[in-house]
Amino acid sequence: MIVAGEPSGDLHASHVVQALKAKCPEISFCGMGGDMMEDAGVSLDIHIRDSAVMGFAEAFAVLPKFLKKQALLKKRLRQQPPDALLLVDFAEFNMPLAKYAYMQGVPVVYYIPPKAWAWRGGRAKKLAKRTNAIASIFPFETEFYQNAGAPAEFVGHPLVDFAKTDLTPTQAREKLGLQNNTHIIGLMPGSRRSEVQRIFPIILKAAANVAEVFPDVEWILPLAPSISEELIAECKEGINGIPTIKLLHDQTYAAMRAATLMLVTSGTATLEAACIGSPMIILYRTSWLNWRIIHALTPLEHSGLPNLIAKKRIVPELLQDCLTSDTLTKLTLDLLRNPEKCDAQRDALNAVYQKLGESGAAERTAQLILEQVASARNPAQ
């Protein structure tokens, strides 16, 4: 059984499924996931449409639906116990399942475990008692979980396998129909509707300001699959002076390689940009309630993944009240006027990339699962 609750988890889980099938073709799969898991051969008990939420307030709103889905999966675990349960990210939903499956004697492997090193560190000790193996994607995360007594193993970050492109910046610009003799600014306002609605209007106002100073800048927006062109158009309403923005489909990494600078909402996309080596500004804004809770529970100096991995501020961050059109305009202009700052970012991002491990995270996770199944079948060994 495999349980993923968001599009990113669906993607990473599908790669593990493919790796498992390559090692052991007769394996069958069930669980909760999305189209990519289904295409990989998983018989879905639950599809994740509308499962993704952002922040605590939204999580409370969908709690009844989540509890119903959990109950269905627990029933399946009880009545038709699988040889193993693979949990992928989606911590608040998956941790109770880990406890339940472990109590039922089902081997539990957690891939992309909760970010207990960031907040709610007690979850590491809980998972130490509820899992047979933790497939960790960051070296420092592995150490954190091991110190809590959890059976963690560093498998590498899955982005290393596919967040890449062979294109040079010039080739990427030619492929996307962009100029080679001007700045290119890439926009990634988020993959959730609520993110885009809060952050993209601020980006657009800043873009209008920057365009007054650098009228030749070209603007591109690689659309997340979950974001429609209609939503992008809605966010533009009532904002004057917006430059032409070229919308791109299925061209995220080419866009990152082509860009002089990326304006990216905090999340996985910042790490993708780090893998490509794209200078960026990290943005984040949520509801007042969510921010107060996050601020109270998270004792971290940084928000962006590249900064967390580097353990220092290598990429500028504009978070919550600090994210305004004026602050974003000022910072964007500063980086465009001082290319040496972007060059320094590239060097620092390359160092971050080197810490993500070798390719093959899905294959190593698959092997870890098979080892747990073998151990459960032959406990004497």
Side-chain angles (χ1 to χ4, degrees), residues 18-347:
Q18 292 166 0
L20 282 167
K21 290 171 72 174
K23 294 174 180 290
C24 194
E26 67 272 18
I27 295 180
S28 60
F29 303 89
C30 64
M32 170 173 153
D35 292 342
M36 286 178 281
M37 282 174 57
E38 195 166 38
D39 290 343
V42 180
S43 177
L44 295 180
D45 298 281
I46 301 171
H47 197 286
I48 63 171
R49 295 183 189 92
D50 303 323
S51 288
V53 295
M54 179 185 177
F56 298 93
E58 292 183 18
F60 281 122
V62 299
L63 184 59
K65 291 182 180 180
F66 275 22
L67 293 176
K68 185 176 181 180
K69 292 176 181 179
Q70 278 185 345
L72 192 154
L73 293 171
K74 287 179 179 179
K75 181 179 179 181
R76 178 71 180 257
L77 282 165
R78 183 175 64 252
Q79 295 183 348
Q80 297 174 286
D83 290 294
L85 170 65
L86 175 66
L87 302 173
V88 185
D89 205 353
F90 212 45
E92 304 309 320
F93 185 91
N94 276 336
M95 284 194 64
L97 284 180
K99 180 179 180 180
Y100 187 83
Y102 194 81
M103 292 174 62
Q104 296 293 318
V106 175
V108 178
V109 177
Y110 211 126
Y111 182 38
I112 313 178
K115 296 177 179 62
W117 41 268
W119 65 295
R120 294 177 60 191
R123 293 179 297 177
K125 292 184 177 180
K126 288 182 179 179
L127 280 186
K129 301 175 182 178
R130 300 177 183 181
T131 58
N132 299 81
I134 292 176
S136 172
I137 61 174
F138 298 114
F140 67 87
E141 176 182 74
T142 307
E143 182 180 0
F144 182 90
Y145 270 101
Q146 289 174 344
N147 289 339
E153 181 174 322
F154 178 55
V155 297
H157 201 289
L159 282 181
V160 172
D161 286 300
F162 55 88
K164 53 189 175 183
T165 175
D166 294 329
L167 299 173
T168 65
T170 297
Q171 290 170 336
R173 292 184 176 199
E174 290 175 352
K175 180 178 180 180
L176 300 176
L178 304 170
Q179 298 180 58
N180 274 319
N181 58 351
T182 188
H183 292 301
I184 309 293
I185 298 183
L187 310 177
M188 298 189 72
S191 59
R192 298 182 176 98
R193 184 179 182 87
S194 57
E195 287 178 328
V196 175
Q197 288 174 324
R198 286 193 174 94
I199 296 170
F200 194 44
I202 297 173
I203 293 176
L204 291 171
K205 292 174 184 177
N209 295 337
V210 171
E212 291 183 359
V213 181
F214 287 93
D216 293 333
V217 165
E218 290 198 70
W219 302 80
I220 56 176
L221 195 163
L223 276 172
S226 55
I227 300 303
S228 67
E229 293 188 19
E230 289 75 19
L231 177 58
I232 296 300
E234 287 176 19
C235 292
K236 293 181 178 180
E237 294 178 2
I239 302 176
N240 298 320
I242 300 173
T244 300
I245 300 172
K246 187 171 187 176
L247 301 183
L248 303 172
H249 296 271
D250 303 318
Q251 299 283 357
T252 298
Y253 300 140
M256 288 179 171
R257 180 55 57 84
T260 308
L261 177 68
M262 298 291 300
L263 310 183
V264 190
T265 293
S266 183
T268 303
T270 64
L271 203 54
E272 291 179 296
C275 290
I276 301 297
S278 304
M280 72 189 97
I281 301 172
I282 296 175
L283 317 173
Y284 187 75
R285 179 182 281 267
T286 185
S287 69
W288 177 86
L289 176 60
N290 283 337
W291 181 250
R292 296 295 296 177
I293 296 173
I294 291 170
H295 195 66
L297 295 178
T298 307
L300 297 175
E301 295 182 26
H302 314 296
S303 171
L305 286 169
N307 293 333
L308 289 170
I309 296 169
K311 297 183 178 179
K312 61 182 179 180
R313 184 68 62 87
I314 63 173
V315 177
E317 300 179 358
L318 294 177
L319 312 178
Q320 201 62 11
D321 293 340
C322 292
L323 176 55
T324 67
S325 58
D326 288 340
T327 57
L328 182 54
T329 299
K330 182 178 179 180
L331 191 50
T332 301
L333 290 174
D334 179 56
L335 289 171
L336 294 181
R337 288 167 172 159
N338 298 281
E340 70 279 2
K341 293 184 178 181
C342 288
D343 291 339
Q345 257 204 63
R346 289 189 187 92
D347 292 339

